[in-house]
Amino acid sequence: MICADLHVHTSYSPDASINPKTIVDQLYAHPFIKAAAITDHNTVEGYNKARELASVYEDILLIPGAEVSTVNGDVIVLGIAELPPKPWTVKNVINFAKEKGALTIAAHPYRAFGLGDLTRKCGVDAIEVLNGASLPNVNKLAENLAREMHLPGVAGSDAHQANDLWTVYTEIQASSDVDEILRAIKNGLVKVASTGTSRRF
Ligand SMILES: [Zn+2]
């Protein structure tokens, strides 16, 4: 089993301030969260930088990804260090991800910039049911939706500042390997949890 924060921003996102080195250092030092998905807004540069820095550490894993601002709402794509071609409609992004064998997650569906009820028919692989930057009531709506749709529910801090890292995480029945992790998420071998450090809940 591996514990992963599946939604982390670096300073390569225009609205975030976390140095990729901070993520690598903190992941290395963390007692049990040993994997993080780098999900910057519409770029994979932060992931590339963090991966370079992490290459000297054996026991941490960075998962490539991006949070794509589609015209319909935010979609997290995990497993590829490249952006889908434009135009970024939810349909195009999900089709691209499927072609590449990547995983798609409806990020905070009921918060601003979420897919909302469109999540029901867009074909995502999983739903973010515990977002560290969302209030409990909107996380609850996302959790209900995942249950109703029989889709896996995942967690990520959505950290934009270093203090917000690792507030929540996903326990995944997989070893420290990106493909295995993505497969396990698709198969629902996941459980969400909180470290109790969030300022929101
Ligand atoms: Zn985000």
Side-chain angles (χ1 to χ4, degrees):
M1 195 261 288
I2 190 160
C3 297
D5 184 340
L6 294 178
H7 190 162
V8 169
H9 292 269
T10 76
S11 50
Y12 288 81
S13 286
D15 57 350
S17 63
I18 312 173
N19 189 315
K21 188 170 187 315
T22 305
I23 294 171
V24 171
D25 288 347
Q26 288 200 13
L27 196 54
Y28 184 66
H30 200 283
F32 59 90
I33 296 175
K34 289 295 162 196
I38 309 295
T39 55
D40 280 312
H41 297 292
N42 311 320
T43 177
V44 294
E45 276 183 69
Y47 165 75
N48 287 334
K49 186 70 201 165
R51 187 192 53 175
E52 225 175 272
L53 295 165
S55 60
V56 290
Y57 298 108
E58 273 183 2
D59 50 354
I60 62 171
L61 181 75
L62 294 176
I63 301 165
E67 184 172 24
V68 182
S69 311
T70 81
V71 292
N72 313 99
D74 291 346
V75 176
I76 291 176
V77 180
L78 295 187
I80 44 169
E82 67 182 300
L83 292 177
K86 286 182 174 174
W88 287 338
T89 62
V90 67
K91 193 163 171 268
N92 285 352
V93 169
I94 287 173
N95 285 345
F96 173 81
K98 283 196 198 311
E99 269 169 36
K100 299 279 179 179
L103 178 105
T104 53
I105 301 168
H108 47 71
Y110 289 108
R111 207 182 77 205
F113 305 110
L115 290 169
D117 282 337
L118 189 59
T119 310
R120 292 175 192 277
K121 44 185 181 182
C122 67
V124 285
D125 296 306
I127 295 178
E128 189 179 56
V129 299
L130 186 57
N131 172 291
S134 295
L135 292 167
N137 60 326
V138 289
N139 280 329
K140 186 73 196 161
L141 289 173
E143 193 189 321
N144 291 345
L145 181 64
R147 193 176 305 122
E148 193 189 312
M149 293 181 67
H150 304 288
L151 279 182
V154 296
S157 65
D158 202 0
H160 284 66
Q161 299 166 33
N163 283 347
D164 297 331
L165 285 162
W166 331 121
T167 52
V168 300
Y169 60 96
T170 310
E171 282 179 17
I172 306 161
Q173 296 300 326
S175 61
S176 188
D177 173 82
V178 173
D179 289 338
E180 209 183 299
I181 285 173
L182 299 186
R183 211 165 33 241
I185 296 173
K186 280 183 188 167
N187 289 327
L189 302 172
V190 287
K191 204 175 124 193
V192 301
S194 166
T195 52
T197 55
S198 171
R199 287 172 290 158
R200 291 179 181 80
F201 48 83

